[in-house]
Amino acid sequence: MPKIGIRFAESAVADLESIRAWYTEQRAPDVGERLVGEMVASIEALSDHPDMGRVVPEFDQSFLRELIRPPFRIVYRRDPRSVRVVRIWRSERLLDVPDE
């Protein structure tokens, strides 16, 4: 089976940069680097296993999935030939669900 392409939304890149910056401000840059590295490794695994994340419960849409890497949620859109990482949130934070 061919590998799936992985892309990052600007929001996800900003989230990673914000996470790294926060840990640097807390005088723990090594922790920030380790966490970001672990998240990127988890995301890279999606190229071989794009459905390994669970469906995001707030949306209940099969194409919107997430990896839980405490204390973060890595939210991605699963398309037939690609994965697009859209946000990286703190685990305890719920995603905003738009009014119907």
Side-chain angles (χ1 to χ4, degrees):
M1 177 181 211
K3 290 186 179 250
I4 298 289
I6 297 174
R7 298 176 299 139
F8 285 80
E10 287 182 29
S11 54
V13 172
D15 292 339
L16 286 173
E17 290 171 354
S18 177
I19 291 164
R20 182 179 284 135
W22 188 86
Y23 281 97
T24 298
E25 290 169 8
Q26 301 304 307
R27 298 186 180 151
D30 52 328
V31 174
E33 290 297 324
R34 179 180 54 80
L35 288 172
V36 168
E38 290 172 357
M39 286 187 279
V40 169
S42 294
I43 292 165
E44 288 173 346
L46 292 171
S47 66
D48 290 319
H49 307 285
D51 295 319
M52 71 183 198
R54 71 177 188 175
V55 171
V56 176
E58 294 93 328
F59 292 97
D60 197 28
Q61 299 290 321
S62 62
F63 62 86
L64 194 60
R65 307 182 76 82
E66 66 183 350
L67 299 173
I68 305 297
R69 296 295 177 258
F72 299 100
R73 300 167 73 183
I74 302 165
V75 180
Y76 66 97
R77 181 183 173 100
R78 168 66 160 102
D79 293 319
R81 296 179 190 232
S82 68
V83 164
R84 181 173 170 88
V85 180
V86 292
R87 293 307 307 246
I88 300 171
W89 298 87
R90 294 280 308 190
S91 314
E92 68 274 4
R93 194 171 164 188
L94 293 177
L95 296 176
D96 292 328
V97 179
D99 293 332
E100 297 193 339

